Amino acid sequence: MAWFRNLSRFSTINVSRRHDPFLLSSFNCFSSNNINTNPTIEKPSVDPVQYSGLGPTKPHEKPRVVVLGSGWAGCRLMKGLDPEIYDIVCVSPRNHMVFTPLLASTCVGTLEFRSVAEPIARIQPAISREPGSYFFLSNCTGISADKHMVHCETVTEGEQALDPWSFTVSYDKLVIALGAQPTTFGIRGVKEHAIFLREVHHAQEIRRKLLLNLMLSDVPGISEEEKRRLLHCVVVGGGPTGVEFSGELSDFIMRDVRQRYAHVKDYVHVTLIEANEILSSFDVRLRNYATKQLTKSGVRLVRGTVKDVQDQNIILNDGSEVPYGLLVWSTGVGPSPLIHALDLPKAPGGGRIGVDEWLRVPSVQDIFSIGDCSGFVESTGRQTLPALAQVAEREGKYLAHLLNKIGKAGGGRANSGKDIDFGEPFVYKHLGSMASVGSYKALVDLRQSKETKGISLAGFISWFIWRSAYLTRVVSWRNRIYVAINWATTLVFGRDISRI
Amino acid sequence: MAWFRNLSRFSTINVSRRHDPFLLSSFNCFSSNNINTNPTIEKPSVDPVQYSGLGPTKPHEKPRVVVLGSGWAGCRLMKGLDPEIYDIVCVSPRNHMVFTPLLASTCVGTLEFRSVAEPIARIQPAISREPGSYFFLSNCTGISADKHMVHCETVTEGEQALDPWSFTVSYDKLVIALGAQPTTFGIRGVKEHAIFLREVHHAQEIRRKLLLNLMLSDVPGISEEEKRRLLHCVVVGGGPTGVEFSGELSDFIMRDVRQRYAHVKDYVHVTLIEANEILSSFDVRLRNYATKQLTKSGVRLVRGTVKDVQDQNIILNDGSEVPYGLLVWSTGVGPSPLIHALDLPKAPGGGRIGVDEWLRVPSVQDIFSIGDCSGFVESTGRQTLPALAQVAEREGKYLAHLLNKIGKAGGGRANSGKDIDFGEPFVYKHLGSMASVGSYKALVDLRQSKETKGISLAGFISWFIWRSAYLTRVVSWRNRIYVAINWATTLVFGRDISRI
């Protein structure tokens, strides 16, 4: 049996943690709960620690690519990797990829949560079928580059009967695609009181809170002031996520709240707070269109900087207080504590992992990095690319090609493949940006950069392009069908308001 | 504005809690967390308490029917009530009805959670549109029958910034449809370690735990024994819910786990523990068929009684230990502590609220009770009806008719309508029972009772009848479409395994 043959591969390894400068205490790279935790190198009291792992690959086995993370970059990479050449092991606290451009639509029920979540086993079926390929529901806690080994800890959230345990995975090639985390600029109270919008559980939390507030505000005994506060939805950050979420919210209020929460409909308001321009990466004409459209839909746009977040109020820099019932924070992303703490070369400014033109991490063997956690090292003379899904996806696709090429040329093993011609370096070509602004309107900006000229559109046709483009980008046919059906039923029956 | 006119209705009432024998501390009637709490009459230290409420209806307003609960009985009643005659107020900690016969299918992803949840506002739109009708997301904490008033407390779960508050609602007619709660027979550890299967959040918990266990068991460092334990799913209770859930689980294992969790597929097992016969309400021939079918699908049937539940083991009465990774408890239901504590007439045995042939609670004015929380008083000479969806639904339908009739005849107000002819008493006619057993097989028993003769079927045709029957019973067209699409995509793409 393939399974029993495989068991021999799980060897028990003696690892002395004290000698390992990369080993960190457990980070949940995807959780918003501990994003401000300062990384500390853990010194366990018992040493050496005995724990199991997936040992180095043997000559009769395929070389092993270990992928850390399951976002756009990691998933596009796994999709492209040839399972005939490599065994693929993915380590992530999340067994699915989130189709982030449509996440804002799930908060108000335009789309369902599962329609935007793609199981990794559907993206790369080898991971659950091939005897040497695995998905481990775990966090990476450190990397021993010299030993070609990653350190992991299981995620056991929701399973009280089980303590998390540590294990190691040896790699032939390692791809770090751990993404980024929301930035809070050190503002007090953001972590405790605001909700981010990066994961499905964030969208679930927003939906539950929004529906709870709508229902609570209808209960007798609540003051007018409290009712207004509960139903005041504040979005901080005027990037595409913040704007799209505000647009979805206003659609929800204009269509569904008026019908289903008729008693409180006049109390619901949306405010979007941005320190600079909204949608700053877009053409000025599109920005003006978005501003006009959002204002028309009842979204109040406020130019301001948040100083402090309390449980029911936001304090702005000018001292004004903004009472809120729901606070969504989307002011951009930055590297996680784990990325900061890894002893690897860094890109200039910001702490991303540094890579060369072929997305390799210089000065170490067989480590690559893609997506929001990586940036070009200074010697490449290139600028760090923006934290966009299309950048991450393109990098994943490029690297899958490159690794397949290396593997085919016989360089798949650890410390081999140095003489292989890597071919063309990675080049990013921006395809343009899109953002919906609610009321069946969207912006489409097809310029390659802010400086160049090109086509830019706004309005219903853009909205149609926006929907069509994302529908074709959804990874699986299953979800493509569900996204289309969700859109159709929302149009016919309105959004679902059961608070489950 | 209708809204401002309405505000005057929220009057502040002085209520002296001490004089109110019905007022209880807060019970969450739908939560499984506090099902063993003993009800105690709360004596608040500050007295009298000032709180707001919905006062008695005025002559120019419609009479008000207050419905406690949003299960089969309460929702069918609200659907049938004429909003031209009555203002309808629903008090429930849940803003949707759960289509319970299909809940087991959601645990493994055959159906989605939202496909079996029906928002109350979709069942009775008046509740969110009419100025005098409301839905209050609250628990009922007590009833003052003499004052025609119910006491409520808001549900603020998930909203830390807000303390729950109390309020009262005056009624002209009151319908108690608070349902029942799972029975644990006082067995230690059930509440802490087992999951019930009554609400959508139970199904969500089961799905998350099942997927977590499947993934954890694949991580290196886990022992063979622990892997077997994690992947051992135990179901206690061989009624329709337990059997249907076991059937769904075995389908999931045979089709989806083999493909998507190939590494661990041989470790997954399902055990169904029942003290007596499985599906005891069915024909003996059908019972035997179900036993054969489940065994064929790999479900181990164990005749036994649970003595103790620990965090990783069940102890049976014969002393044997059964290690488990997932434990689902479905051994039937009984009245909640609130129902027990209400000072109303009771049905013989079991503590349900007693009703007469017209579903009225005797000895008090204008109170009715339907569904699992009610039973006939001794003087009717009738037996308590089984806790089935079809009983609850039929009672709700009957009572809606009766209340509309009373309202039309001018007896809708509190303490009026005594001289109105109530017409035919409620008669329950059993339409038959159905249960799916997995592998596209089901049982259909169309006998009116265990003693009578009638048609009974088992197999694929029954399964087809089962699916068709439930599809037509789903309340809204939206959900009917979704149930059909979920079934179709499960057939084509398999079940969704993203753990969100």
Side-chain angles (χ1 to χ4, degrees):
Chain A
M1 258 166 81
W3 167 248
F4 282 110
R5 278 204 311 278
N6 251 355
L7 277 178
S8 61
R9 205 174 290 174
F10 294 110
S11 55
T12 299
I13 303 162
N14 269 317
V15 180
S16 163
R17 284 197 183 196
R18 193 156 290 170
H19 303 300
D20 203 327
F22 294 95
L23 192 57
L24 300 172
S25 64
S26 159
F27 290 112
N28 185 334
C29 312
F30 286 89
S31 160
S32 60
N33 296 332
N34 51 6
I35 59 155
N36 283 341
T37 319
N38 286 317
T40 47
I41 309 289
E42 201 178 58
K43 307 277 181 196
S45 51
V46 187
D47 188 8
V49 187
Q50 273 228 339
Y51 53 103
S52 306
L54 211 55
T57 51
K58 301 199 172 56
H60 67 276
E61 296 171 335
K62 285 182 255 181
R64 183 187 301 142
V65 177
V66 174
V67 182
L68 305 181
S70 59
W72 279 92
C75 285
R76 185 60 190 84
L77 170 86
M78 286 189 274
K79 189 182 172 191
L81 280 179
D82 187 346
E84 298 288 315
I85 302 174
Y86 291 106
D87 278 339
I88 306 163
V89 173
C90 178
V91 178
S92 173
R94 177 178 90 177
N95 81 335
H96 56 274
M97 179 195 137
V98 182
F99 195 83
T100 41
L102 296 178
L103 192 59
S105 303
T106 64
C107 300
V108 294
T110 312
L111 291 177
E112 271 318 314
F113 302 119
R114 273 174 207 281
S115 308
V116 303
E118 208 70 72
I120 299 169
R122 214 187 280 144
I123 295 171
Q124 176 50 273
I127 215 136
S128 58
R129 290 184 196 162
E130 292 294 313
S133 291
Y134 295 95
F135 169 76
F136 296 142
L137 190 79
S138 303
N139 285 308
C140 170
T141 54
I143 298 168
S144 301
D146 51 339
K147 294 181 190 147
H148 272 64
M149 190 191 273
V150 290
H151 302 267
C152 310
E153 191 180 70
T154 54
V155 173
T156 50
E157 170 259 315
E159 170 74 32
Q160 287 110 14
L162 217 60
D163 287 326
W165 68 91
S166 300
F167 61 96
T168 59
V169 181
S170 296
Y171 57 83
D172 289 299
K173 307 287 174 199
L174 175 67
V175 182
I176 306 172
L178 287 166
Q181 66 173 28
T183 47
T184 63
F185 308 108
I187 298 165
R188 199 176 46 183
V190 176
K191 219 179 65 180
E192 293 79 10
H193 307 300
I195 310 177
F196 301 113
L197 187 46
R198 304 266 302 161
E199 302 284 337
V200 171
H201 68 85
H202 294 144
Q204 288 172 323
E205 200 183 338
I206 291 171
R207 187 152 161 186
R208 283 181 67 80
K209 192 153 185 174
L210 186 62
L211 292 172
L212 181 69
N213 289 355
L214 276 164
M215 288 186 281
L216 280 183
S217 60
D218 205 12
V219 172
I222 193 164
S223 70
E224 287 284 296
E225 195 190 334
E226 181 70 351
K227 196 186 280 201
R228 278 185 206 285
R229 180 190 73 76
L230 269 182
L231 296 179
H232 188 204
C233 307
V234 177
V235 183
V236 179
T241 306
V243 167
E244 293 198 338
F245 176 67
S246 305
E248 287 283 351
L249 254 181
S250 72
D251 280 359
F252 176 62
I253 293 164
M254 292 212 290
R255 170 154 184 193
D256 302 86
V257 171
R258 287 198 183 165
Q259 267 189 31
R260 315 273 180 78
Y261 296 97
H263 303 140
V264 295
K265 67 180 191 318
D266 299 327
Y267 292 83
V268 196
H269 291 103
V270 183
T271 300
L272 175 60
I273 301 176
E274 165 61 51
N276 305 301
E277 292 269 18
I278 64 160
L279 298 173
S280 57
S281 67
F282 283 78
D283 187 321
V284 63
R285 201 175 55 85
L286 298 187
R287 282 208 298 273
N288 290 342
Y289 179 87
T291 306
K292 212 181 92 190
Q293 193 59 46
L294 288 171
T295 311
K296 209 170 119 188
S297 311
V299 177
R300 198 164 59 116
L301 297 171
V302 171
R303 180 76 65 98
T305 313
V306 176
K307 200 171 80 181
D308 192 20
V309 177
Q310 299 166 351
D311 65 349
Q312 305 192 5
N313 287 293
I314 301 164
I315 314 294
L316 297 184
N317 254 357
D318 63 5
S320 58
E321 276 194 25
V322 184
Y324 70 87
L326 172 74
L327 176 59
V328 175
W329 194 268
S330 66
T331 56
V333 294
S336 66
L338 175 66
I339 295 297
H340 271 298
L342 286 175
D343 191 13
L344 293 173
K346 293 287 153 72
R352 289 177 171 209
I353 296 171
V355 292
D356 65 13
E357 294 91 331
W358 293 271
L359 311 177
R360 279 181 305 193
V361 181
S363 83
V364 287
Q365 283 299 315
D366 300 316
I367 301 184
F368 300 80
S369 182
I370 52 178
D372 295 357
C373 69
S374 73
F376 292 112
V377 288
E378 208 157 3
S379 60
T380 60
R382 298 191 186 193
Q383 283 213 315
T384 292
L385 294 169
L388 293 176
Q390 60 174 315
V391 173
E393 200 194 13
R394 227 73 62 72
E395 290 183 342
K397 189 178 174 186
Y398 170 85
L399 189 58
H401 256 283
L402 180 60
L403 287 176
N404 287 342
K405 185 178 166 181
I406 295 170
K408 266 183 208 151
R413 299 271 157 207
N415 296 313
S416 74
K418 282 166 205 156
D419 310 324
I420 293 166
D421 173 26
F422 273 28
E424 288 297 311
F426 173 74
V427 178
Y428 174 68
K429 205 182 146 208
H430 190 66
L431 288 182
S433 311
M434 296 191 289
S436 72
V437 292
S439 319
Y440 308 106
K441 303 285 192 303
L443 317 177
V444 174
D445 189 345
L446 297 178
R447 299 172 307 152
Q448 277 191 35
S449 77
K450 277 185 85 166
E451 290 72 34
T452 57
K453 292 205 166 179
I455 298 164
S456 62
L457 293 169
F460 178 74
I461 296 192
S462 301
W463 176 83
F464 192 78
I465 294 172
W466 177 86
R467 279 218 165 167
S468 314
Y470 282 135
L471 193 59
T472 58
R473 303 302 296 161
V474 169
V475 184
S476 69
W477 273 103
R478 182 198 176 276
N479 278 5
R480 211 166 291 156
I481 291 169
Y482 269 107
V483 167
I485 290 167
N486 288 164
W487 278 336
T489 52
T490 295
L491 201 67
V492 178
F493 301 104
R495 293 165 177 86
D496 182 83
I497 55 159
S498 11
R499 186 172 180 268
I500 57 173
Chain B
M1 258 168 82
W3 167 247
F4 283 109
R5 278 203 311 279
N6 250 357
L7 277 178
S8 62
R9 204 173 289 173
F10 295 112
S11 54
T12 299
I13 304 160
N14 269 317
V15 181
S16 163
R17 283 197 183 198
R18 192 157 288 167
H19 302 298
D20 201 330
F22 294 94
L23 191 59
L24 299 171
S25 63
S26 159
F27 290 112
N28 183 336
C29 313
F30 285 89
S31 159
S32 59
N33 297 331
N34 52 5
I35 59 157
N36 281 342
T37 317
N38 285 318
T40 48
I41 310 289
E42 200 180 59
K43 305 275 182 204
S45 52
V46 187
D47 189 8
V49 186
Q50 272 229 340
Y51 52 101
S52 306
L54 211 54
T57 52
K58 302 199 170 56
H60 66 276
E61 295 170 336
K62 286 182 251 181
R64 183 187 301 143
V65 178
V66 174
V67 183
L68 305 180
S70 58
W72 278 92
C75 285
R76 185 62 189 82
L77 169 84
M78 286 190 273
K79 189 183 173 190
L81 279 180
D82 187 345
E84 297 288 316
I85 303 174
Y86 291 106
D87 279 338
I88 306 164
V89 173
C90 177
V91 177
S92 173
R94 179 179 87 176
N95 81 335
H96 57 273
M97 178 195 139
V98 182
F99 195 84
T100 41
L102 295 178
L103 192 58
S105 303
T106 65
C107 300
V108 295
T110 311
L111 290 177
E112 271 317 315
F113 302 120
R114 271 171 210 282
S115 308
V116 304
E118 207 72 72
I120 298 168
R122 213 188 280 144
I123 295 171
Q124 177 48 275
I127 216 135
S128 57
R129 288 184 198 164
E130 292 294 313
S133 291
Y134 294 94
F135 169 76
F136 296 142
L137 189 80
S138 304
N139 286 307
C140 170
T141 55
I143 297 168
S144 302
D146 51 340
K147 294 181 192 145
H148 273 65
M149 191 191 275
V150 290
H151 301 267
C152 310
E153 191 180 69
T154 54
V155 174
T156 48
E157 169 259 313
E159 171 74 30
Q160 286 111 15
L162 216 62
D163 287 327
W165 67 90
S166 300
F167 61 95
T168 59
V169 181
S170 296
Y171 57 82
D172 289 299
K173 307 288 173 196
L174 175 68
V175 182
I176 306 171
L178 287 165
Q181 64 174 28
T183 48
T184 62
F185 308 108
I187 298 165
R188 201 175 45 182
V190 176
K191 219 179 64 178
E192 291 81 9
H193 305 300
I195 310 176
F196 301 112
L197 188 45
R198 304 266 302 160
E199 301 285 338
V200 172
H201 69 85
H202 295 144
Q204 287 171 324
E205 198 182 340
I206 291 170
R207 187 151 159 187
R208 283 182 66 80
K209 192 155 187 173
L210 186 62
L211 291 173
L212 181 70
N213 289 353
L214 276 164
M215 288 186 280
L216 280 183
S217 60
D218 204 13
V219 173
I222 192 164
S223 69
E224 287 285 296
E225 195 189 337
E226 182 69 352
K227 195 185 284 199
R228 278 186 206 286
R229 178 189 75 76
L230 269 183
L231 297 179
H232 188 204
C233 307
V234 176
V235 183
V236 178
T241 306
V243 167
E244 293 198 339
F245 176 67
S246 306
E248 286 283 351
L249 254 182
S250 73
D251 280 358
F252 175 61
I253 292 163
M254 291 211 290
R255 168 153 186 196
D256 301 87
V257 171
R258 286 198 183 166
Q259 267 188 30
R260 315 275 179 79
Y261 297 95
H263 303 140
V264 295
K265 68 182 190 314
D266 300 328
Y267 292 83
V268 195
H269 291 103
V270 183
T271 300
L272 176 60
I273 301 176
E274 166 61 50
N276 305 301
E277 293 269 18
I278 64 160
L279 298 172
S280 56
S281 67
F282 283 79
D283 186 319
V284 63
R285 200 175 56 84
L286 297 187
R287 282 209 298 272
N288 291 341
Y289 180 87
T291 306
K292 215 180 89 191
Q293 193 58 44
L294 287 172
T295 312
K296 211 169 118 188
S297 311
V299 178
R300 199 165 59 116
L301 297 171
V302 171
R303 180 76 66 100
T305 313
V306 176
K307 201 171 78 183
D308 193 19
V309 177
Q310 298 165 351
D311 65 348
Q312 306 193 2
N313 288 293
I314 301 164
I315 315 293
L316 298 184
N317 254 357
D318 62 7
S320 58
E321 275 192 27
V322 184
Y324 70 88
L326 173 74
L327 175 60
V328 174
W329 194 268
S330 65
T331 55
V333 294
S336 66
L338 175 67
I339 296 296
H340 272 297
L342 286 175
D343 191 13
L344 294 173
K346 293 288 152 72
R352 288 177 173 212
I353 295 170
V355 292
D356 66 13
E357 295 92 331
W358 293 271
L359 311 178
R360 279 183 303 195
V361 181
S363 84
V364 286
Q365 283 300 314
D366 299 317
I367 301 185
F368 300 80
S369 183
I370 51 178
D372 296 357
C373 68
S374 73
F376 292 112
V377 289
E378 206 156 7
S379 61
T380 60
R382 298 191 187 192
Q383 283 212 315
T384 292
L385 296 169
L388 293 176
Q390 60 176 311
V391 173
E393 200 195 12
R394 227 72 61 74
E395 290 182 343
K397 189 179 174 184
Y398 170 85
L399 189 57
H401 256 282
L402 180 58
L403 287 177
N404 288 341
K405 185 178 168 180
I406 294 170
K408 265 181 210 152
R413 300 271 157 206
N415 297 313
S416 75
K418 283 165 203 155
D419 311 323
I420 293 167
D421 174 26
F422 273 27
E424 288 298 310
F426 174 74
V427 178
Y428 174 68
K429 204 181 148 208
H430 190 66
L431 289 181
S433 311
M434 298 192 288
S436 72
V437 292
S439 320
Y440 308 105
K441 304 284 191 304
L443 318 176
V444 174
D445 190 344
L446 298 178
R447 299 173 307 152
Q448 278 192 34
S449 76
K450 276 186 86 163
E451 291 70 37
T452 54
K453 291 205 167 178
I455 298 164
S456 63
L457 293 169
F460 178 76
I461 295 189
S462 301
W463 175 84
F464 192 79
I465 295 172
W466 177 85
R467 280 218 163 168
S468 315
Y470 281 136
L471 193 59
T472 58
R473 302 303 296 160
V474 170
V475 183
S476 70
W477 273 103
R478 182 200 176 275
N479 278 3
R480 211 167 291 155
I481 290 169
Y482 270 107
V483 167
I485 290 166
N486 288 165
W487 278 336
T489 52
T490 295
L491 201 67
V492 178
F493 302 103
R495 292 165 178 86
D496 181 82
I497 55 159
S498 15
R499 184 170 181 269
I500 58 172

